Amino acid sequence: MKNKTKVLFIAIFALGAVMFAQEGQVVVKDVAVERVLDGVRVTIACDKTPNISSFISHEPPALVVDIMDAVAKVEAERIACRYHPVTAVTIKPSEATAGVRVTILLRNMVQHKISNEGGVVTVDLSSTPLMPPPYIESTDPFSGKPPLTLLVQDADVASVLRMLAQQFDLNLLVTQDVKSVVSVRLNEVPLRTGLEVLLKAAGCNMVEDRKSGVIIVKPVKKEMYGEMETRVFNLDYIEAEDAKKVITKTLSGVGNAEVGYRRVTTKGGGTERSAVLVVTDIPEALDAVAMVLAELDRPVPQIAIEAKFIETTFSAEDRYGIDWTPIARFSPQVPDIGDEIAIPITIREMLLGKISFDQFTASFELLMARGRSRVLANPRTMTLDNQTAQVSMGLDVPIREVHKDPNTGEITYTWRTRSIPIRMEVTPHVTSDGMITMRIKPSVEAITGWVGTADDRQPIVAKREAETQVKVADDEVVVIGGLVKDEETRNVGKIPLLGDVPIIGHLFKKTSVQRNQSELMIFIIPRIVMPEQG
């Protein structure tokens, strides 16, 4: 009797211990397999919503669903199935997750979808084959790993990490101060991406030993020896000073970047170019920096700019050989840089417009055929994207200057030259759609008349400036006109001696006035010169 009582006591104690151990755990009550349309559905019924993770195995083909902190109370540990492609479903305890592992054995891998709602985990398998990823030899511990599906709520991050390490065969070390509760819902994401998101939510990061493949998980604020790396980025097209400003936000809280200079030797001496960027940071931040610099350090297009300065005596009606009247819009205000403008426009009596290259060719031939036009200059230059190019031409006018010595009263004459320039600054930019946006700043000075005596003439100079921005295609030409110059020439003819007699001398003189009106037109022809691909 005593022995029966002792056995009964032990049984009751063991049952109570089991019930106590299962308190808070998920109970897997049933697993069912059924045909649904052209696929198969595996349903895992639990007493409450579980935390789950899944992965695929190609050898042998299987889909594994791990249920954390769970026990199984099902009638069978193996369910045979005749629905293609499922051959069987096994339900076994999992030591790695302290829970239950449901393995769906398959004839071949197929596409699948997992949902977890209201205590029911549903796995839908289609008949579409899932091709295995190509094998790539790499020291990256995540290389060749299958995608991750993770559905957890209020789960201990250390427990989740231990489960993932076991599932994906990772050499993972979690420090003791990693203590966070996370809720994550990820479906078929790359393993590295999923792990980084999980750690970010937990306030942690991972340090990878690229040689051994060991991954150490620690809190972000905790520094670890060997965590920081240094990389040297040699830049070809962007200045390191500019790159440093861009990557500042990409660096982690412990990262920093330094600019290195490379000496360039020229005939006049040496110059320095900031062509090296030395970055020290954690590996994942360095990878982000490398991606940003790869986008920035690219060969920039060059823009060939040709300008034709043409002087003509055309009237306003047949200017450029094109009738602008039907499409002309006029604005008395200078447009802001970057604003879209109607073409053509007038700015301080300057006319700015754009025409196609065919129209320009026809207009140029017409100007030359009229015989009253001449090309004053045809400068060509090359500049980089977003760099200012200058083209200019000018006329040097000699001007006499009179100097009188205050002591002796002696008068001396000297000559100086005054430049009457026509200058233009062009800053082009190639947009992503292949258009050219040009910031144009023309400055034109012209002699409109003369003052003073015949021996001491001084020019009257008019100056006109404008600044605007025009967007043109690669085969369009910008036209700047309206730069009209009026010249008046007086010629006096007289009979010798009689023409110099006072009062009556004008009877023996003849004054003729000749007025000439000319117009300067500037044609700007931009062309994109793409860099050669290596």
Side-chain angles (χ1 to χ4, degrees), residues 243-518:
K244 180 180 177 181
K245 298 175 183 178
V246 176
I247 67 167
T248 299
K249 294 184 179 179
T250 308
L251 299 175
S252 70
V254 295
N256 71 292
E258 297 293 336
V259 174
Y261 293 89
R262 182 174 296 158
R263 185 171 295 278
V264 180
T265 304
T266 60
K267 291 183 179 180
T271 59
E272 290 186 339
R273 174 179 178 267
S274 57
V276 179
L277 193 64
V278 182
V279 185
T280 301
D281 209 332
I282 58 177
E284 51 264 39
L286 290 175
D287 292 340
V289 169
M291 292 177 61
V292 173
L293 293 180
E295 292 294 325
L296 293 177
D297 193 36
R298 290 184 174 183
V300 295
Q302 298 183 90
I303 298 92
I305 297 176
E306 179 181 359
K308 288 185 180 292
F309 295 84
I310 300 176
E311 188 178 52
T312 181
T313 56
F314 268 19
S315 63
E317 288 76 11
D318 55 2
R319 184 182 299 156
Y320 322 134
I322 301 171
D323 183 11
W324 289 99
T325 306
I327 60 175
R329 296 181 185 178
F330 299 97
S331 171
Q333 302 296 328
V334 180
D336 294 332
I337 299 302
D339 291 349
E340 287 291 333
I341 60 175
I343 299 295
I345 64 169
T346 55
I347 303 176
R348 300 187 183 97
E349 300 181 3
M350 288 188 184
L351 176 67
L352 286 90
K354 62 180 180 179
I355 57 178
S356 68
F357 189 79
D358 292 338
Q359 288 176 313
F360 161 73
T361 302
S363 302
F364 182 72
E365 292 177 354
L366 179 61
L367 288 172
M368 296 297 102
R370 291 287 294 269
R372 294 187 295 176
S373 301
R374 62 193 179 105
V375 178
L376 300 180
N378 185 24
R380 296 179 176 88
T381 186
M382 183 87 73
T383 185
L384 293 174
D385 190 38
N386 290 320
Q387 299 296 319
T388 300
Q390 292 185 353
V391 292
S392 64
M393 59 168 287
L395 174 68
D396 291 335
V397 178
I399 299 175
R400 191 177 71 167
E401 293 183 340
V402 180
H403 302 277
K404 183 177 181 180
D405 191 321
N407 297 323
T408 63
E410 183 181 359
I411 298 176
T412 58
Y413 299 93
T414 60
W415 294 87
R416 68 177 177 88
T417 58
R418 176 177 176 179
S419 178
I420 311 297
I422 299 174
R423 185 182 299 107
M424 183 173 58
E425 294 182 0
V426 180
T427 307
H429 169 63
V430 180
T431 60
S432 58
D433 57 355
M435 301 288 285
I436 304 174
T437 300
M438 292 191 296
R439 181 176 176 269
I440 304 174
K441 186 178 180 180
S443 175
V444 179
E445 295 184 20
I447 299 176
T448 59
W450 298 85
V451 294
T453 63
D455 295 333
D456 187 19
R457 294 198 309 168
Q458 300 290 328
I460 301 173
V461 180
K463 183 178 181 179
R464 294 177 183 175
E465 291 182 322
E467 185 173 357
T468 187
Q469 184 164 294
V470 182
K471 186 176 183 180
V472 297
D474 193 23
D475 59 346
E476 290 184 322
V477 180
V478 177
V479 182
I480 301 176
L483 307 173
V484 179
K485 178 176 66 175
D486 293 318
E487 289 186 334
E488 182 177 296
T489 306
R490 292 179 178 269
N491 296 316
V492 179
K494 62 181 179 179
I495 298 175
L497 299 178
L498 295 178
D500 296 328
V501 175
I503 301 176
I504 63 172
H506 67 278
L507 298 175
F508 303 96
K509 294 180 180 179
K510 181 180 179 182
T511 302
S512 62
V513 180
Q514 182 179 1
R515 293 183 176 89
N516 294 319
Q517 186 182 69
S518 62

Side-chain angles (χ1 to χ4, degrees), residues 103-123:
T103 304
I104 304 173
L105 301 174
L106 304 169
R107 290 183 174 84
N108 58 283
M109 287 305 306
V110 294
Q111 296 182 6
H112 61 275
K113 179 180 179 181
I114 301 176
S115 61
N116 180 17
E117 295 181 2
V120 178
V121 179
T122 304
V123 182

Side-chain angles (χ1 to χ4, degrees), residues 80-91:
C81 180
R82 66 178 185 276
Y83 302 137
H84 184 81
V86 180
T87 59
V89 178
T90 62
I91 307 98

